[in-house]
């Protein structure tokens, strides 16, 4: 019983952490200045690992049938890699910005902009793995049900995410006047988690 209670406690902590990451990302997407620096640093360092753990939690045999898990396997792996990359790019980005604020020499400023392309490259790597992961999982949902709302939102948002990034490469989409598709994919996550937590991805195959 003691072991089970610890497991439940860990699950509760993971849920709270996931909600915090979701809210932080939503606020940053609206206006990053709303988040004070002392809160931004922990978010930057912990968001990726927390999201990685959430992926492993929700895509488990406890909530999803083994049949669907096998079909979603590549998508789950891509999303897991995406959040590892997210941690790398976020820390590189913030470290660079902090250093940049201390630079007064114009030549060094130009050097910084060149080095900053590394962070932008990692950002694109994240979008590629993230978009393809969502696309694969959404395609599996559409295979199960052609009218799956989660599936269609996932396919459309991931296609637009990848397409816009290819169109504006090497510049970020927002610098070219395109909408950031990242916040839109949050709707996919919300609907997917609701669907998974309701056991809709487990009971159907269990009946078979």
């Amino acid at each position: 019983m003691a072991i089970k209670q610890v497991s439940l406690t860990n699950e509760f902590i993971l849920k709270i952490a996931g909600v915090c990451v979701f809210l932080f990302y939503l606020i940053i997407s609206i206006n990053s200045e709303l988040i004070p620096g002392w809160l931004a640093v922990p978010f930057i360092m912990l968001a990726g690992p927390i999201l990685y753990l959430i992926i492993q939690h929700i895509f488990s045999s406890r909530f999803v049938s083994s049949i669907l898990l096998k079909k979603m396997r590549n998508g789950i792996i891509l999303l897991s890699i995406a959040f590892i990359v997210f941690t790398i790019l976020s820390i590189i980005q913030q470290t660079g910005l902090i250093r940049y604020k201390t630079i007064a020499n114009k030549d060094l400023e130009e050097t910084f902009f060149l080095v900053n392309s590394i962070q932008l490259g990692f950002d694109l790597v994240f979008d590629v793995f993230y978009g393809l992961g969502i696309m694969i999982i959404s395609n599996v949902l559409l295979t199960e049900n052609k009218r799956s709302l989660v599936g269609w939102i996932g396919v459309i948002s991931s296609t637009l995410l990848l397409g816009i990034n290819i169109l504006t490469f090497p510049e970020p989409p927002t610098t070219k006047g395109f909408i950031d598709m990242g916040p839109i994919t949050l709707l996919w996550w919300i609907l997917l988690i609701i669907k998974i937590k309701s056991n809709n991805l487990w009971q159907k195959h269990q009946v078979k």
Side-chain angles (χ1 to χ4, degrees):
M1 292 297 292
I3 295 177
K4 183 177 181 181
Q5 188 170 354
V6 171
S7 178
L8 290 174
T9 301
N10 290 338
E11 182 178 338
F12 177 76
I13 293 173
L14 189 60
K15 288 179 181 179
I16 297 298
V19 171
C20 290
V21 169
F22 171 80
L23 293 176
F24 269 65
Y25 180 74
L26 190 61
I27 294 172
I28 289 175
S29 299
I30 297 172
N31 186 354
S32 60
E33 294 182 359
L34 295 175
I35 301 293
W38 64 273
L39 279 178
V41 173
F43 168 77
I44 291 164
M45 291 186 174
L46 299 177
I50 289 172
L51 292 171
Y52 178 89
L53 292 174
I54 289 175
I55 287 291
Q56 307 308 315
H57 173 68
I58 63 175
F59 290 107
S60 65
S61 57
R62 178 180 174 185
F63 303 112
V64 184
S65 73
S66 58
I67 297 175
L68 287 183
L69 281 177
K70 185 176 181 180
K71 294 179 180 179
M72 294 178 176
R73 180 175 178 273
N74 289 331
I76 297 169
I77 292 173
L78 288 173
L79 286 178
S80 299
I81 295 174
F83 291 126
I84 294 174
V85 173
F86 177 79
T87 303
I88 297 172
L89 80 87
S90 297
I91 293 177
I92 289 176
Q93 179 188 61
Q94 292 305 309
T95 303
L97 288 174
I98 292 172
R99 300 298 187 197
Y100 174 69
K101 291 178 181 178
T102 64
I103 294 175
N105 187 295
K106 291 297 181 183
D107 292 333
L108 291 179
E109 287 186 10
E110 293 180 5
T111 301
F112 169 79
F113 283 116
L114 290 174
V115 175
N116 191 50
S117 62
I118 297 174
Q119 175 266 134
L120 294 177
F122 272 113
D123 193 11
L124 179 58
V125 172
F126 166 77
D127 286 338
V128 170
F129 280 89
Y130 182 70
L132 289 175
I134 291 177
M135 184 179 293
I136 290 173
I137 292 173
S138 297
N139 277 327
V140 173
L141 296 176
L142 287 176
T143 301
E144 292 292 305
N145 180 6
K146 294 296 183 183
R147 292 185 289 182
S148 171
L149 179 62
V150 184
W152 281 114
I153 290 177
V155 168
I156 293 172
S157 62
S158 61
T159 301
L160 288 174
L161 177 67
L162 293 170
I164 292 174
N165 272 285
I166 292 172
L167 186 64
T168 63
F169 180 82
E171 301 298 326
T174 52
T175 63
K176 297 294 185 178
F178 287 93
I179 299 175
D180 182 7
M181 294 302 299
I184 296 178
T185 61
L186 292 180
L187 176 60
W188 180 79
W189 280 106
I190 292 172
L191 295 176
L192 177 69
I193 290 173
I194 292 174
K195 189 176 183 65
I196 288 177
K197 288 293 186 177
S198 66
N199 276 338
N200 284 347
L201 297 181
W202 189 85
Q203 292 176 345
K204 181 178 179 181
H205 289 281
Q206 184 68 8
V207 172
K208 292 181 179 180

